[in-house]
Amino acid sequence: MSFKTILAGTALAFSTLAAGSAWAETIGFSQVGSEGDWRPAFSANMQNEAATYGIDLKFADAQGKQEEQLRAVRAFIAQGVDAIIIAPVVVTGWDQVLQEAKDANIPVFLVDRDVDVADKSLYVTRISADFNLEGKIAGAWLAQASLGNCKIVELQGTTGSAPAIERNAGFQAIIDQFPNMEIVQTQSGDFTTEGGKKVMEAFIKSTNNLEGICASFAHNDNMQLGAIQAMKEAGLNPGTDIKMVSVDYVPAMADALAAGEANASVELRSAVAEYIYPVILDYLKAPSDLPKWIVIPSDLHVAN
Amino acid sequence: MMVADVLRPRGAGLPRLRDTRAVWPVLALIAILVFDWVMVPNFFQIRVVEGRLFGNVIDILYRATPTALVSLGMALVIGTKGIDLSVGSTIAIVGAVISWRIHAGDPHIVILFEALAVAVVCGIWNGSLVAGLGIQPIIATLILMVSGRGIGLLINLLYGGTDPSFDSPLLQGLSTGHLWLIPTRLVVGAVLFVALWLVIRRTALGLFIEAVGGNAAAADLAGVNARRIIFVAYVLCGLLAGCAGVILTADTHTSDPVSVAMYIELDAILAVVIGGASLGGGRIYLGLTVIGALVIQALTTSILISGLRPEYNLIVKSVVVMIVLLLQSRNVRHHVTMLFQGRRR
Amino acid sequence: MTTGTPTAPLIEMREIRKAYPGVLALDDVSLDFYPGEVHALLGENGAGKSTMIKILTGALRRDAGAVLLAGKPTDFASTAAAQAMGISPVYQEVNLIPAMSVLKNLTLEKAPTRWGMVSWRGARAMAEAKLARLGLTLDIDKPVGSYSLAIQQLVAIARALDDTTRMLVLDEPTASLDASEVAALFDILRDLRARGIAIVFITHFLNQVYEISDRITVLRNGQRVGTGLVGEISRQDLITMMIGRELSEVEAVARVRDTAGGAPVMTAGGVGRKRTLAPFDLTLRAGEAVGLAGLLGSGRTELAKLLFGAIRRDSGTLTLGGTDIRATSPRHSLAHGVAFCPEDRKTEGLVGELTIRENIVLSMQAKQGWLRRVRYRDQLRIADDMIRALGIATPDGEKQVSQLSGGNQQKVVLARALASSPKVLILDEPTRGIDVGAHADILTLIRKLCDRGLALLVASSELDEIVATSDRVAVLRDRAMIGELVGAGITRDTIIGMIAGDDGG
């Protein structure tokens, strides 16, 4: 993990050296860290795409610590960057540093997670995907595919995490519209393949081979891939006997969709620079009142 | 006391069972299973699906196998008064190596040995730090614990690492396949257990580990090479973690260094403790350690099939574990007995 | 000073009964302790002394019987409860925390507090006062472990004493003290006695019993054999009461002396280590017992460990049966037929968690290597043989060794060394903390081993023991060997003379 960061850091240093300050805009980006698969891909996309938009991106990895992140933001302010992008580590404790940025006339854009500040004018807008919407899209697809008639087992993400709470809430909001749709079993698979497989094995036993179950909804693809393995080992046909819908659209899920072992996956984009940079550049050219949340669309991928 | 008396052998035979401590983990396991049986009437039902035995009980054995293997290694290390926090990282590295070598096109039987060799190297690393340099075990193994998953990610980068999943009939056969009706990993686990038991109890290694763990200075003066014994314990622990790593990696046929076998070191330590050993070292109970691993897995499985909301999982687990450990404590048992005796008067 | 008219007993213990699985440790024993007297408690290993004082100090619960404190029935739930009533124990094995400073060890339990925080100034004053009671001057900021065992013992006693102490219980307090330290301790005990404190004194040094005690109680096999004023019990009677054997028998064993030894088995030439022990020459012969005499700290233990390889030598040569031994480690020494029984059985001798059998076979197993395990059947046989031969008090070899009394533990250490079938046996303080009965057993055994052709080296702080057992004596002073005594030249006086610095011998 650290090696990746070093590589990325070195690449960044080189590009900055080579480019100098010939760029139109200088933007500071304070990233949470480099945990998981999605975030490093997100960071890499932001760094790679910066040049295309003529942006000199100053990237800072907070290594999961807020004090590190506050230091980075203050450094950006001191350098007098044109704009600051923050992927916040936590939601609270931002009032003061955002006020400092505002006093220095530097607009702040949030990506990914939200912040909790009394004065919403402290940042321009938040540009991110909507976990709740992802849950809704998955629910809507399933409602249509099952004609509103479906008993569901749910593989939750890590208990208490924002994606787990929101995807569950969005999904629930849709199926609540249909009297014959309900979640009959739900458990946490911790967002891992191993966890998804273990939980699905237990579901298979406790529901007598998924008798009467029409679908499996997983909060991410990894867990769903584990569930697919568990079903195949129990002699079931995922994708045919059971409708499989999940979130992320990782490469392995694309294969599973192609093989007909899964039915649908809502994409959580990591290539989001194309949604973020234009908003910022437009704002820098002509400041205007933007909505406080600009949602990055989530595409639904289904099996053929 | 009655149970203890029954378990006490006359004369030779099984000297380890003399202690009442054998009773509690077994009782805990039975209690959990009975609870499941009441909750899910067909809990003990076993059918044949896809040519192998299929049912909750099989599931518990099946899922407990990797944890049990890691726990057995942990039992040896704890026996020397040490601890190995790096077993999860060893598994992550083993998984990454398997995926890497499969993408590199090595014959799969060779990969099996490569994976185990890497695990042994991890054990040698820990053993060298603890026995060679005399670093405290918790610190020494923390190094690999922290760095191991990163090393796994690095290995995944060697072949691009975007899609670390693979297919391997041999390795998957060892993990998720079946021999006649029995899941292969149960057979693998049983064979490894017997082999380990022979190494520990049919040679003097077990006695030496217990002597070193009980009193290293005395063992040294009695002629036991304490440092070499400690080193061997860590290497065996690494090897057993490697075996668990092969099973876990082949189970999901993908390398996921960040999350594979997360917190398995804690489960393993817990299994050893439920099995009646003290973290102070000096005793190895191989059979009871396996029972400990089964208790943990039976508990996990019961929570999954109970339909309990996931928010309560960890609380329920910790409460049950606490009860088992309290029952184990001679002190608490003594006080509880006193309480009842007092009432009877 | 004997108590003239004892007013009323401070503590009365009435018909105390305590049973362990398979053993009745105390069988309706009654005892009383008066203020201002030193009461010596004597008895062999397993006689019940330790159990008695553990019940007295709240460390153990009795099964039956009553304890009266100043006439009122009491029931100490814990040692803390007993201490609150002014009963302070000092146990046989030093219970200090070696890595902590003297200051903290002395004040840990009852640290003076100020507004809920430990007042270190107060603690310091308290520690100084405690040491001053014993006339000790120590650097109280140094860790306890950096001082000798003797000083540690005194610190443990100092810790137990404070102004509220009504009774001091001392379990083998002099086991690791030299003569001047014992004298200092006795001065303190006399002072405490004059202040009306009841003192319970457990020891196996009969001289000390007669020097300090007012009354003596003898226990045997969990029963009280007798109690009497010190002037009324003769030495002969006392030993008879304790071991139920005639003294002459013990003495007879001691007086037997074999002829000079046979062929040299182990030869040390210029063996030494800087700052540990000056280079020395020593030859051990088959069938000969060599004694190592010297004061505490003179280098007895160091010499024994250098020969065994537990301390690495930096000079000299060591030959065993004619072959040079280069590598020095306990393992190599055992492989060459040298066995060693260390002085401190708790930290260096035994693995307390393991059973008697496992402890006994450990060395012979180490000698054979881990691959060739001694068969279980053989282990049982060897353990049984040793238990019988050495008279270890246990139903079988499956008892945890930590549950044995001190003397029996010492016998297990000895059994382990013997089970490795050594040609040379090195014993460091083989009778430390052991009562008369076991003492005689071990001395008898030493003679028997010599007769069978074993070369023996016995380091001991007890001159009588050395005089009784040795065919030859090496005398140490200030970490150097200063001379040897042979045959008839070995007497108390000659050895003391050499240690004192006369050029005699």
Side-chain angles (χ1 to χ4, degrees):
Chain A
M1 206 187 298
S2 51
F3 183 61
K4 234 183 205 172
T5 321
I6 293 166
L7 268 188
T10 328
L12 177 68
F14 273 115
S15 65
T16 326
L17 271 179
S21 53
W23 304 99
E25 310 288 355
T26 303
I27 296 177
F29 177 26
S30 173
Q31 175 64 286
V32 172
S34 49
E35 82 284 0
D37 297 335
W38 180 80
R39 198 167 296 280
F42 170 33
S43 297
N45 174 253
M46 289 292 280
Q47 290 169 4
N48 296 337
E49 292 298 310
T52 326
Y53 291 93
I55 291 168
D56 175 14
L57 188 74
K58 297 197 178 299
F59 180 82
D61 184 333
Q63 293 159 9
K65 298 188 203 109
Q66 188 179 27
E67 64 269 26
E68 197 67 40
Q69 191 154 42
L70 292 178
R71 197 176 306 143
V73 172
R74 292 208 165 96
F76 291 148
I77 296 171
Q79 288 165 27
V81 295
D82 297 304
I84 295 173
I85 305 172
I86 303 174
V89 175
V90 292
V91 293
T92 53
W94 287 102
D95 298 77
Q96 195 186 343
V97 74
L98 291 186
Q99 187 64 50
E100 287 168 28
K102 193 178 183 187
D103 293 347
N105 274 325
I106 300 173
V108 173
F109 298 83
L110 304 178
V111 293
D112 191 20
R113 300 177 198 174
D114 204 356
V115 298
D116 183 7
V117 288
D119 180 4
K120 291 278 179 199
S121 74
L122 288 179
Y123 63 91
V124 177
T125 183
R126 172 184 172 210
I127 310 161
S128 77
D130 181 352
F131 296 143
N132 193 291
L133 177 64
E134 291 161 1
K136 283 182 177 142
I137 293 172
W141 176 83
L142 187 57
Q144 190 188 25
S146 68
L147 303 176
N149 209 335
C150 191
K151 289 195 191 320
I152 304 151
V153 293
E154 181 187 41
L155 300 171
Q156 289 197 20
T158 305
T159 311
S161 67
I165 293 169
E166 290 300 319
R167 283 171 193 163
N168 170 274
F171 186 80
Q172 193 76 51
I174 296 296
I175 65 168
D176 279 350
Q177 310 297 314
F178 300 88
N180 289 331
M181 289 184 84
E182 72 168 315
I183 295 176
V184 292
Q185 293 263 21
T186 180
Q187 258 301 339
S188 168
D190 278 324
F191 285 129
T192 67
T193 312
E194 203 186 340
K197 188 169 182 180
K198 279 185 201 173
V199 171
M200 185 53 75
E201 277 174 5
F203 283 171
I204 290 171
K205 307 299 183 314
S206 64
T207 58
N208 194 17
N209 262 17
L210 299 181
E211 194 181 313
I213 304 292
C214 102
S216 160
F217 168 51
H219 287 187
N220 80 351
D221 284 345
N222 283 353
M223 291 191 288
Q224 193 77 307
L225 290 166
I228 289 171
Q229 291 176 16
M231 289 181 189
K232 291 205 301 204
E233 281 166 26
L236 298 164
N237 295 312
T240 317
D241 300 343
I242 307 285
K243 295 180 174 57
M244 309 294 286
V245 55
S246 54
V247 182
D248 266 5
Y249 195 61
V250 298
M253 180 50 77
D255 297 342
L257 288 171
E261 290 170 350
N263 303 89
S265 178
V266 183
E267 181 174 359
L268 172 64
R269 289 167 194 272
S270 58
V272 288
E274 56 177 308
Y275 297 94
I276 295 172
Y277 288 141
V279 174
I280 298 175
L281 292 177
D282 287 348
Y283 182 86
L284 289 178
K285 251 177 249 159
S288 61
D289 263 351
L290 293 174
K292 282 295 161 189
W293 189 4
I294 298 171
V295 174
I296 296 174
S298 304
D299 297 337
L300 181 72
H301 298 263
V302 294
N304 306 321
Chain B
M1 288 308 277
M2 290 293 288
V3 188
D5 287 339
V6 172
L7 276 173
R8 184 167 300 173
R10 300 278 160 239
L14 296 166
R16 303 261 177 264
L17 277 180
R18 278 177 168 268
D19 258 55
T20 51
R21 69 175 83 224
V23 176
W24 299 103
V26 174
L27 277 186
L29 183 59
I30 291 171
I32 293 170
L33 293 179
V34 166
F35 177 79
D36 288 335
W37 181 57
V38 171
M39 210 170 50
V40 186
N42 64 355
F43 181 80
F44 286 102
Q45 192 189 67
I46 294 176
R47 291 172 294 149
V48 177
V49 174
E50 295 278 296
R52 76 177 179 103
L53 297 176
F54 187 88
N56 285 306
V57 180
I58 299 293
D59 252 21
I60 292 172
L61 290 169
Y62 184 83
R63 280 287 155 213
T65 301
T67 318
L69 289 175
V70 174
S71 307
L72 287 170
M74 191 67 80
L76 303 186
V77 168
I78 287 177
T80 68
K81 207 174 189 168
I83 203 154
D84 187 351
L85 297 180
S86 72
V87 284
S89 291
T90 302
I91 289 171
I93 294 174
V94 164
V97 166
I98 290 174
S99 185
W100 168 44
R101 292 322 298 170
I102 285 180
H103 283 81
D106 286 3
H108 291 189
I109 183 79
V110 176
I111 291 172
L112 178 62
F113 288 104
E114 285 169 344
L116 297 182
V118 166
V120 167
V121 169
C122 291
I124 289 174
W125 164 262
N126 286 329
S128 306
L129 292 184
V130 176
L133 300 181
I135 301 175
Q136 288 184 343
I138 199 165
I139 302 300
T141 57
L142 195 64
I143 296 171
L144 186 60
M145 180 200 186
V146 171
S147 61
R149 294 180 186 274
I151 294 171
L153 284 172
L154 219 73
I155 295 172
N156 276 0
L157 283 182
L158 289 175
Y159 56 90
T162 46
D163 187 4
S165 62
F166 58 84
D167 274 308
S168 165
L170 171 73
L171 297 180
Q172 283 166 248
L174 282 176
S175 175
T176 57
H178 52 87
L179 262 180
W180 301 290
L181 290 177
I182 303 163
T184 327
R185 72 165 70 171
L186 298 190
V187 179
V188 171
V191 167
L192 286 171
F193 176 80
V194 171
L196 184 69
W197 188 84
L198 288 175
V199 168
I200 295 302
R201 292 296 171 209
R202 280 287 162 253
T203 73
L205 191 59
L207 175 65
F208 287 172
I209 288 178
E210 291 176 335
V212 168
N215 187 342
D220 225 27
L221 282 181
V224 179
N225 189 341
R227 288 165 73 171
R228 191 181 297 164
I229 295 297
I230 291 173
F231 179 80
V232 167
Y234 281 91
V235 172
L236 281 176
C237 184
L239 177 62
L240 284 163
C243 296
V246 171
I247 291 175
L248 284 173
T249 305
D251 193 343
T252 54
H253 38 95
T254 183
S255 155
D256 180 11
V258 175
S259 68
V260 71
M262 206 40 145
Y263 304 129
I264 199 168
E265 62 279 352
L266 301 184
D267 275 349
I269 293 167
L270 200 56
V272 174
V273 173
I274 290 177
S278 142
L279 290 187
R283 273 303 182 198
I284 304 170
Y285 304 106
L286 294 180
L288 289 179
T289 297
V290 172
I291 300 285
L294 286 174
V295 167
I296 294 172
Q297 186 55 48
L299 193 52
T300 310
T301 301
S302 352
I303 290 170
L304 286 180
I305 62 172
S306 68
L308 206 67
R309 290 170 57 85
E311 287 82 352
Y312 299 117
N313 285 4
L314 297 175
I315 298 172
V316 171
K317 194 171 172 181
S318 61
V319 167
V320 176
V321 165
M322 201 174 75
I323 292 171
V324 175
L325 293 182
L326 284 179
L327 282 176
Q328 283 252 347
S329 150
R330 224 167 261 176
N331 231 337
V332 172
R333 255 187 0 241
H334 177 72
H335 283 293
V336 171
T337 338
M338 295 272 285
L339 203 71
F340 282 112
Q341 277 173 355
R343 257 189 217 156
R344 224 174 285 153
R345 264 182 226 156
Chain C
M1 186 192 98
T2 46
T3 42
T5 48
T7 46
L10 174 68
I11 296 259
E12 290 169 76
M13 300 181 79
R14 293 214 184 126
E15 299 186 339
I16 304 291
R17 174 181 287 267
K18 176 78 192 177
Y20 295 113
V23 188
L24 189 56
L26 288 175
D27 185 4
D28 295 343
V29 176
S30 298
L31 266 182
D32 42 21
F33 303 101
Y34 289 88
E37 75 161 3
V38 176
H39 194 144
L41 205 50
L42 299 174
E44 287 198 59
N45 290 320
K49 297 167 300 186
S50 290
T51 311
M52 198 72 188
I53 64 154
K54 277 182 181 163
I55 288 170
L56 173 61
T57 57
L60 267 182
R61 313 274 292 191
R62 60 184 184 273
D63 294 343
V67 177
L68 277 66
L69 175 68
K72 271 180 268 171
T74 40
D75 196 6
F76 300 128
S78 67
T79 51
Q83 278 173 42
M85 303 302 292
I87 297 171
S88 305
V90 179
Y91 292 111
Q92 181 174 2
E93 314 284 352
V94 176
N95 278 311
L96 298 170
I97 304 166
M100 271 197 187
S101 66
V102 174
L103 169 64
K104 286 186 183 170
N105 268 295
L106 283 176
T107 57
L108 200 62
E109 287 161 20
K110 296 184 195 165
T113 53
R114 211 178 139 132
W115 301 318
M117 312 272 284
V118 171
S119 154
W120 285 113
R121 190 183 301 176
R124 214 161 251 285
M126 181 172 152
E128 306 268 359
K130 276 177 180 288
L131 292 178
R133 275 194 198 98
L134 297 198
L136 281 172
T137 43
L138 299 175
D139 180 351
I140 59 172
D141 293 316
K142 270 174 77 174
V144 159
S146 66
Y147 288 103
S148 67
L149 265 179
I151 299 288
Q152 291 186 30
Q153 182 73 55
L154 291 176
V155 171
I157 294 172
R159 179 173 68 170
L161 283 176
D162 63 27
D163 292 337
T164 64
T165 305
R166 290 201 274 172
M167 176 182 235
L168 186 63
V169 181
L170 301 169
D171 190 357
E172 297 281 2
T174 56
S176 48
L177 306 192
D178 67 22
S180 66
E181 286 163 333
V182 169
L185 175 68
F186 283 1
D187 283 344
I188 290 157
L189 293 187
R190 287 188 191 101
D191 177 45
L192 294 171
R193 174 169 66 187
R195 281 155 49 187
I197 291 174
I199 295 168
V200 182
F201 182 57
I202 295 179
T203 187
H204 62 278
F205 296 108
L206 299 190
N207 289 339
Q208 296 176 2
V209 171
Y210 282 99
E211 190 181 341
I212 190 78
S213 317
D214 303 309
R215 277 201 304 158
I216 301 173
T217 293
V218 178
L219 296 178
R220 193 167 75 220
N221 295 331
Q223 291 175 322
R224 195 179 70 172
V225 184
T227 300
L229 292 175
V230 71
E232 294 166 359
I233 301 176
S234 76
R235 234 181 149 82
Q236 179 96 22
D237 292 344
L238 187 58
I239 294 179
T240 310
M241 276 163 77
M242 285 168 69
I243 62 175
R245 243 182 270 168
E246 292 301 320
L247 178 65
S248 57
E249 197 183 321
V250 179
E251 283 185 335
V253 167
R255 277 203 212 97
V256 174
R257 176 148 298 167
D258 219 311
T259 48
V265 181
M266 189 182 205
T267 310
V271 169
R273 183 181 171 86
K274 277 189 197 98
R275 281 190 297 279
T276 305
L277 193 68
F280 63 90
D281 301 323
L282 188 66
T283 304
L284 304 181
R285 296 190 170 83
E288 185 191 45
V290 177
L292 275 184
L295 297 177
L296 198 71
S298 63
R300 290 190 315 252
T301 298
E302 288 76 6
L303 193 151
K305 285 193 172 176
L306 274 166
L307 285 184
F308 185 57
I311 296 176
R312 202 172 283 263
R313 65 175 190 268
D314 61 8
S315 69
T317 55
L318 204 56
T319 53
L320 240 171
T323 44
D324 250 21
I325 305 182
R326 293 268 171 72
T328 51
S329 71
R331 228 167 348 116
H332 284 103
S333 300
L334 269 162
H336 284 99
V338 184
F340 173 64
C341 296
E343 173 186 9
D344 190 338
R345 53 180 177 261
K346 191 162 120 187
T347 60
E348 296 190 321
L350 294 169
V351 185
E353 278 272 291
L354 296 184
T355 63
I356 297 169
R357 168 180 55 83
E358 287 168 319
N359 269 288
I360 288 178
V361 299
L362 191 56
S363 275
M364 69 178 295
Q365 182 67 70
K367 200 172 167 182
Q368 286 199 9
W370 70 277
L371 272 175
R372 289 178 49 224
R373 178 171 175 270
V374 181
R375 280 185 310 173
Y376 185 69
R377 211 180 320 145
D378 294 341
Q379 292 188 15
L380 284 177
R381 186 177 48 74
I382 291 162
D384 282 348
D385 287 353
M386 285 295 171
I387 288 167
R388 221 172 309 124
L390 300 186
I392 301 169
T394 173
D396 60 17
E398 303 309 313
K399 200 168 171 179
Q400 258 193 13
V401 86
S402 58
Q403 293 173 0
L404 292 179
S405 65
N408 283 312
Q409 289 186 352
Q410 189 65 37
K411 287 177 182 172
V412 174
V413 176
L414 199 57
R416 173 166 72 212
L418 292 176
S420 72
S421 30
K423 295 195 281 268
V424 178
L425 180 58
I426 303 170
L427 307 173
D428 192 3
E429 296 284 1
T431 57
R432 181 183 166 208
I434 288 183
D435 57 70
V436 174
H439 204 141
D441 285 350
I442 287 179
L443 296 191
T444 312
L445 189 82
I446 288 176
R447 294 312 317 175
K448 267 195 210 154
L449 292 171
C450 277
D451 293 346
R452 274 193 234 152
L454 193 72
L456 263 175
L457 181 70
V458 182
S460 175
S461 55
E462 288 186 60
L463 279 186
D464 291 340
E465 187 175 304
I466 287 188
V467 171
T469 54
S470 309
D471 300 313
R472 202 145 49 87
V473 175
V475 182
L476 292 156
R477 187 176 66 208
D478 297 335
R479 300 190 174 269
M481 192 197 284
I482 54 169
E484 279 191 30
L485 294 168
V486 188
I490 304 173
T491 64
R492 260 186 94 88
D493 294 341
T494 50
I495 297 174
I496 291 171
M498 274 183 88
I499 292 173
D502 305 348
D503 282 343

